PDB file of all heavy atoms in Angstrom:
ATOM      1  N   LEU X 356      99.971  68.137 117.366  1.00 82.00           N
ATOM      2  CA  LEU X 356     100.332  66.785 116.952  1.00 82.00           C
ATOM      3  C   LEU X 356     101.744  66.673 116.351  1.00 82.00           C
ATOM      4  O   LEU X 356     102.496  65.758 116.677  1.00 82.00           O
ATOM      5  CB  LEU X 356      99.295  66.332 115.911  1.00 82.00           C
ATOM      6  CG  LEU X 356      99.195  64.833 115.656  1.00 82.00           C
ATOM      7  CD1 LEU X 356      98.825  64.113 116.945  1.00 82.00           C
ATOM      8  CD2 LEU X 356      98.151  64.564 114.569  1.00 82.00           C
ATOM      9  N   TRP X 357     102.097  67.593 115.474  1.00 79.00           N
ATOM     10  CA  TRP X 357     103.383  67.521 114.777  1.00 79.00           C
ATOM     11  C   TRP X 357     104.441  68.462 115.348  1.00 79.00           C
ATOM     12  O   TRP X 357     105.374  68.835 114.644  1.00 79.00           O
ATOM     13  CB  TRP X 357     103.206  67.853 113.289  1.00 79.00           C
ATOM     14  CG  TRP X 357     102.456  66.814 112.518  1.00 79.00           C
ATOM     15  CD1 TRP X 357     101.988  65.621 112.984  1.00 79.00           C
ATOM     16  CD2 TRP X 357     102.081  66.868 111.132  1.00 79.00           C
ATOM     17  NE1 TRP X 357     101.335  64.935 111.995  1.00 79.00           N
ATOM     18  CE2 TRP X 357     101.382  65.676 110.838  1.00 79.00           C
ATOM     19  CE3 TRP X 357     102.263  67.803 110.101  1.00 79.00           C
ATOM     20  CZ2 TRP X 357     100.867  65.397 109.572  1.00 79.00           C
ATOM     21  CZ3 TRP X 357     101.760  67.525 108.844  1.00 79.00           C
ATOM     22  CH2 TRP X 357     101.063  66.336 108.580  1.00 79.00           C
ATOM     23  N   SER X 358     104.312  68.837 116.599  1.00 79.00           N
ATOM     24  CA  SER X 358     105.231  69.845 117.122  1.00 79.00           C
ATOM     25  C   SER X 358     106.676  69.339 117.213  1.00 79.00           C
ATOM     26  O   SER X 358     107.618  70.114 117.266  1.00 79.00           O
ATOM     27  CB  SER X 358     104.763  70.333 118.492  1.00 79.00           C
ATOM     28  OG  SER X 358     104.708  69.244 119.370  1.00 79.00           O
ATOM     29  N   ASP X 359     106.835  68.027 117.223  1.00 80.00           N
ATOM     30  CA  ASP X 359     108.198  67.485 117.296  1.00 80.00           C
ATOM     31  C   ASP X 359     108.859  67.364 115.928  1.00 80.00           C
ATOM     32  O   ASP X 359     110.031  67.037 115.821  1.00 80.00           O
ATOM     33  CB  ASP X 359     108.204  66.093 117.945  1.00 80.00           C
ATOM     34  CG  ASP X 359     107.839  66.194 119.406  1.00 80.00           C
ATOM     35  OD1 ASP X 359     108.046  67.286 119.971  1.00 80.00           O
ATOM     36  OD2 ASP X 359     107.327  65.212 119.961  1.00 80.00           O
ATOM     37  N   PHE X 360     108.058  67.604 114.915  1.00 79.00           N
ATOM     38  CA  PHE X 360     108.602  67.485 113.571  1.00 79.00           C
ATOM     39  C   PHE X 360     109.300  68.777 113.182  1.00 79.00           C
ATOM     40  O   PHE X 360     108.670  69.783 112.894  1.00 79.00           O
ATOM     41  CB  PHE X 360     107.469  67.155 112.590  1.00 79.00           C
ATOM     42  CG  PHE X 360     107.917  67.079 111.170  1.00 79.00           C
ATOM     43  CD1 PHE X 360     108.799  66.095 110.755  1.00 79.00           C
ATOM     44  CD2 PHE X 360     107.473  68.012 110.231  1.00 79.00           C
ATOM     45  CE1 PHE X 360     109.238  66.028 109.437  1.00 79.00           C
ATOM     46  CE2 PHE X 360     107.901  67.953 108.909  1.00 79.00           C
ATOM     47  CZ  PHE X 360     108.794  66.968 108.518  1.00 79.00           C
ATOM     48  N   LEU X 361     110.627  68.776 113.188  1.00 80.00           N
ATOM     49  CA  LEU X 361     111.378  70.001 112.923  1.00 80.00           C
ATOM     50  C   LEU X 361     112.008  69.960 111.538  1.00 80.00           C
ATOM     51  O   LEU X 361     112.445  68.917 111.075  1.00 80.00           O
ATOM     52  CB  LEU X 361     112.464  70.187 113.989  1.00 80.00           C
ATOM     53  CG  LEU X 361     111.940  70.245 115.429  1.00 80.00           C
ATOM     54  CD1 LEU X 361     113.090  70.374 116.413  1.00 80.00           C
ATOM     55  CD2 LEU X 361     110.957  71.393 115.608  1.00 80.00           C
ATOM     56  N   ILE X 362     112.034  71.129 110.889  1.00 79.00           N
ATOM     57  CA  ILE X 362     112.601  71.215 109.537  1.00 79.00           C
ATOM     58  C   ILE X 362     114.110  71.401 109.643  1.00 79.00           C
ATOM     59  O   ILE X 362     114.574  72.356 110.270  1.00 79.00           O
ATOM     60  CB  ILE X 362     112.003  72.419 108.781  1.00 79.00           C
ATOM     61  CG1 ILE X 362     110.485  72.385 108.854  1.00 79.00           C
ATOM     62  CG2 ILE X 362     112.534  72.477 107.343  1.00 79.00           C
ATOM     63  CD1 ILE X 362     109.773  71.675 107.768  1.00 79.00           C
ATOM     64  N   PRO X 363     114.894  70.509 109.071  1.00 74.00           N
ATOM     65  CA  PRO X 363     116.338  70.501 109.307  1.00 74.00           C
ATOM     66  C   PRO X 363     117.131  71.561 108.531  1.00 74.00           C
ATOM     67  O   PRO X 363     118.270  71.831 108.883  1.00 74.00           O
ATOM     68  CB  PRO X 363     116.762  69.099 108.841  1.00 74.00           C
ATOM     69  CG  PRO X 363     115.728  68.699 107.849  1.00 74.00           C
ATOM     70  CD  PRO X 363     114.457  69.363 108.250  1.00 74.00           C
ATOM     71  N   TRP X 364     116.542  72.198 107.514  1.00 76.00           N
ATOM     72  CA  TRP X 364     117.357  72.956 106.563  1.00 76.00           C
ATOM     73  C   TRP X 364     118.003  74.235 107.078  1.00 76.00           C
ATOM     74  O   TRP X 364     119.045  74.641 106.591  1.00 76.00           O
ATOM     75  CB  TRP X 364     116.555  73.279 105.293  1.00 76.00           C
ATOM     76  CG  TRP X 364     115.988  72.053 104.670  1.00 76.00           C
ATOM     77  CD1 TRP X 364     116.633  70.850 104.512  1.00 76.00           C
ATOM     78  CD2 TRP X 364     114.676  71.871 104.155  1.00 76.00           C
ATOM     79  NE1 TRP X 364     115.787  69.941 103.934  1.00 76.00           N
ATOM     80  CE2 TRP X 364     114.581  70.544 103.687  1.00 76.00           C
ATOM     81  CE3 TRP X 364     113.562  72.714 104.035  1.00 76.00           C
ATOM     82  CZ2 TRP X 364     113.435  70.031 103.124  1.00 76.00           C
ATOM     83  CZ3 TRP X 364     112.422  72.197 103.468  1.00 76.00           C
ATOM     84  CH2 TRP X 364     112.351  70.871 103.018  1.00 76.00           C
ATOM     85  N   ILE X 365     117.340  74.947 108.007  1.00 73.00           N
ATOM     86  CA  ILE X 365     117.949  76.215 108.430  1.00 73.00           C
ATOM     87  C   ILE X 365     118.121  76.300 109.948  1.00 73.00           C
ATOM     88  O   ILE X 365     117.428  75.622 110.708  1.00 73.00           O
ATOM     89  CB  ILE X 365     117.136  77.457 107.974  1.00 73.00           C
ATOM     90  CG1 ILE X 365     115.680  77.328 108.409  1.00 73.00           C
ATOM     91  CG2 ILE X 365     117.235  77.669 106.464  1.00 73.00           C
ATOM     92  CD1 ILE X 365     114.915  78.638 108.299  1.00 73.00           C
ATOM     93  N   ASP X 366     119.075  77.159 110.338  1.00 71.00           N
ATOM     94  CA  ASP X 366     119.343  77.465 111.746  1.00 71.00           C
ATOM     95  C   ASP X 366     119.433  76.218 112.626  1.00 71.00           C
ATOM     96  O   ASP X 366     118.902  76.174 113.736  1.00 71.00           O
ATOM     97  CB  ASP X 366     118.262  78.411 112.307  1.00 71.00           C
ATOM     98  CG  ASP X 366     118.349  79.787 111.675  1.00 71.00           C
ATOM     99  OD1 ASP X 366     119.329  80.040 110.947  1.00 71.00           O
ATOM    100  OD2 ASP X 366     117.448  80.612 111.899  1.00 71.00           O
ATOM    101  N   GLY X 367     120.080  75.200 112.104  1.00 72.00           N
ATOM    102  CA  GLY X 367     120.300  73.997 112.888  1.00 72.00           C
ATOM    103  C   GLY X 367     119.034  73.208 113.173  1.00 72.00           C
ATOM    104  O   GLY X 367     118.991  72.403 114.100  1.00 72.00           O
ATOM    105  N   GLY X 368     117.999  73.416 112.377  1.00 73.00           N
ATOM    106  CA  GLY X 368     116.787  72.603 112.516  1.00 73.00           C
ATOM    107  C   GLY X 368     116.034  72.795 113.810  1.00 73.00           C
ATOM    108  O   GLY X 368     115.726  71.840 114.506  1.00 73.00           O
ATOM    109  N   ARG X 369     115.732  74.075 114.159  1.00 79.00           N
ATOM    110  CA  ARG X 369     114.966  74.235 115.395  1.00 79.00           C
ATOM    111  C   ARG X 369     113.529  74.696 115.163  1.00 79.00           C
ATOM    112  O   ARG X 369     112.815  75.021 116.089  1.00 79.00           O
ATOM    113  CB  ARG X 369     115.682  75.163 116.368  1.00 79.00           C
ATOM    114  CG  ARG X 369     116.094  76.485 115.811  1.00 79.00           C
ATOM    115  CD  ARG X 369     117.106  77.123 116.777  1.00 79.00           C
ATOM    116  NE  ARG X 369     117.749  78.248 116.181  1.00 79.00           N
ATOM    117  CZ  ARG X 369     117.290  79.495 116.280  1.00 79.00           C
ATOM    118  NH1 ARG X 369     116.210  79.743 116.972  1.00 79.00           N
ATOM    119  NH2 ARG X 369     117.944  80.475 115.702  1.00 79.00           N
ATOM    120  N   TYR X 370     113.074  74.731 113.898  1.00 83.00           N
ATOM    121  CA  TYR X 370     111.730  75.239 113.651  1.00 83.00           C
ATOM    122  C   TYR X 370     110.744  74.153 113.227  1.00 83.00           C
ATOM    123  O   TYR X 370     111.054  73.316 112.399  1.00 83.00           O
ATOM    124  CB  TYR X 370     111.758  76.297 112.553  1.00 83.00           C
ATOM    125  CG  TYR X 370     112.681  77.453 112.843  1.00 83.00           C
ATOM    126  CD1 TYR X 370     113.781  77.707 112.029  1.00 83.00           C
ATOM    127  CD2 TYR X 370     112.454  78.275 113.940  1.00 83.00           C
ATOM    128  CE1 TYR X 370     114.634  78.769 112.298  1.00 83.00           C
ATOM    129  CE2 TYR X 370     113.303  79.337 114.223  1.00 83.00           C
ATOM    130  CZ  TYR X 370     114.388  79.578 113.395  1.00 83.00           C
ATOM    131  OH  TYR X 370     115.222  80.622 113.662  1.00 83.00           O
ATOM    132  N   ASN X 371     109.546  74.223 113.799  1.00 82.00           N
ATOM    133  CA  ASN X 371     108.474  73.370 113.294  1.00 82.00           C
ATOM    134  C   ASN X 371     107.936  73.993 111.990  1.00 82.00           C
ATOM    135  O   ASN X 371     108.418  75.039 111.562  1.00 82.00           O
ATOM    136  CB  ASN X 371     107.364  73.202 114.343  1.00 82.00           C
ATOM    137  CG  ASN X 371     106.728  74.537 114.721  1.00 82.00           C
ATOM    138  OD1 ASN X 371     106.720  75.484 113.945  1.00 82.00           O
ATOM    139  ND2 ASN X 371     106.209  74.612 115.936  1.00 82.00           N
ATOM    140  N   ILE X 372     106.949  73.352 111.364  1.00 83.00           N
ATOM    141  CA  ILE X 372     106.503  73.820 110.046  1.00 83.00           C
ATOM    142  C   ILE X 372     106.038  75.272 110.099  1.00 83.00           C
ATOM    143  O   ILE X 372     106.388  76.085 109.246  1.00 83.00           O
ATOM    144  CB  ILE X 372     105.351  72.929 109.512  1.00 83.00           C
ATOM    145  CG1 ILE X 372     105.816  71.481 109.407  1.00 83.00           C
ATOM    146  CG2 ILE X 372     104.858  73.422 108.148  1.00 83.00           C
ATOM    147  CD1 ILE X 372     104.731  70.503 108.981  1.00 83.00           C
ATOM    148  N   PHE X 373     105.268  75.597 111.115  1.00 85.00           N
ATOM    149  CA  PHE X 373     104.722  76.938 111.248  1.00 85.00           C
ATOM    150  C   PHE X 373     105.844  77.979 111.326  1.00 85.00           C
ATOM    151  O   PHE X 373     105.894  78.932 110.549  1.00 85.00           O
ATOM    152  CB  PHE X 373     103.852  76.996 112.518  1.00 85.00           C
ATOM    153  CG  PHE X 373     103.149  78.300 112.728  1.00 85.00           C
ATOM    154  CD1 PHE X 373     101.821  78.459 112.354  1.00 85.00           C
ATOM    155  CD2 PHE X 373     103.804  79.372 113.324  1.00 85.00           C
ATOM    156  CE1 PHE X 373     101.168  79.668 112.556  1.00 85.00           C
ATOM    157  CE2 PHE X 373     103.153  80.580 113.526  1.00 85.00           C
ATOM    158  CZ  PHE X 373     101.834  80.728 113.143  1.00 85.00           C
ATOM    159  N   ASP X 374     106.767  77.784 112.271  1.00 86.00           N
ATOM    160  CA  ASP X 374     107.863  78.750 112.440  1.00 86.00           C
ATOM    161  C   ASP X 374     108.758  78.784 111.213  1.00 86.00           C
ATOM    162  O   ASP X 374     109.267  79.829 110.828  1.00 86.00           O
ATOM    163  CB  ASP X 374     108.704  78.404 113.676  1.00 86.00           C
ATOM    164  CG  ASP X 374     107.905  78.601 114.944  1.00 86.00           C
ATOM    165  OD1 ASP X 374     106.914  79.339 114.907  1.00 86.00           O
ATOM    166  OD2 ASP X 374     108.267  77.980 115.973  1.00 86.00           O
ATOM    167  N   PHE X 375     108.946  77.625 110.610  1.00 88.00           N
ATOM    168  CA  PHE X 375     109.787  77.558 109.411  1.00 88.00           C
ATOM    169  C   PHE X 375     109.213  78.445 108.303  1.00 88.00           C
ATOM    170  O   PHE X 375     109.925  79.236 107.679  1.00 88.00           O
ATOM    171  CB  PHE X 375     109.900  76.107 108.926  1.00 88.00           C
ATOM    172  CG  PHE X 375     110.614  75.973 107.610  1.00 88.00           C
ATOM    173  CD1 PHE X 375     111.991  76.093 107.541  1.00 88.00           C
ATOM    174  CD2 PHE X 375     109.908  75.741 106.432  1.00 88.00           C
ATOM    175  CE1 PHE X 375     112.658  75.977 106.322  1.00 88.00           C
ATOM    176  CE2 PHE X 375     110.561  75.631 105.214  1.00 88.00           C
ATOM    177  CZ  PHE X 375     111.947  75.751 105.165  1.00 88.00           C
ATOM    178  N   LEU X 376     107.901  78.323 108.073  1.00 88.00           N
ATOM    179  CA  LEU X 376     107.271  79.134 107.024  1.00 88.00           C
ATOM    180  C   LEU X 376     107.425  80.621 107.314  1.00 88.00           C
ATOM    181  O   LEU X 376     107.666  81.430 106.422  1.00 88.00           O
ATOM    182  CB  LEU X 376     105.781  78.774 106.902  1.00 88.00           C
ATOM    183  CG  LEU X 376     105.473  77.399 106.308  1.00 88.00           C
ATOM    184  CD1 LEU X 376     103.988  77.067 106.460  1.00 88.00           C
ATOM    185  CD2 LEU X 376     105.875  77.339 104.843  1.00 88.00           C
TER     186      LEU X 376
END
Side-chain angles (χ1 to χ4, degrees):
L356 199 60
W357 291 357
S358 59
D359 292 336
F360 177 65
L361 302 178
I362 309 269
W364 305 318
I365 53 166
D366 292 351
R369 52 195 168 91
Y370 303 117
N371 61 26
I372 301 176
F373 184 98
D374 293 339
F375 173 76
L376 290 170

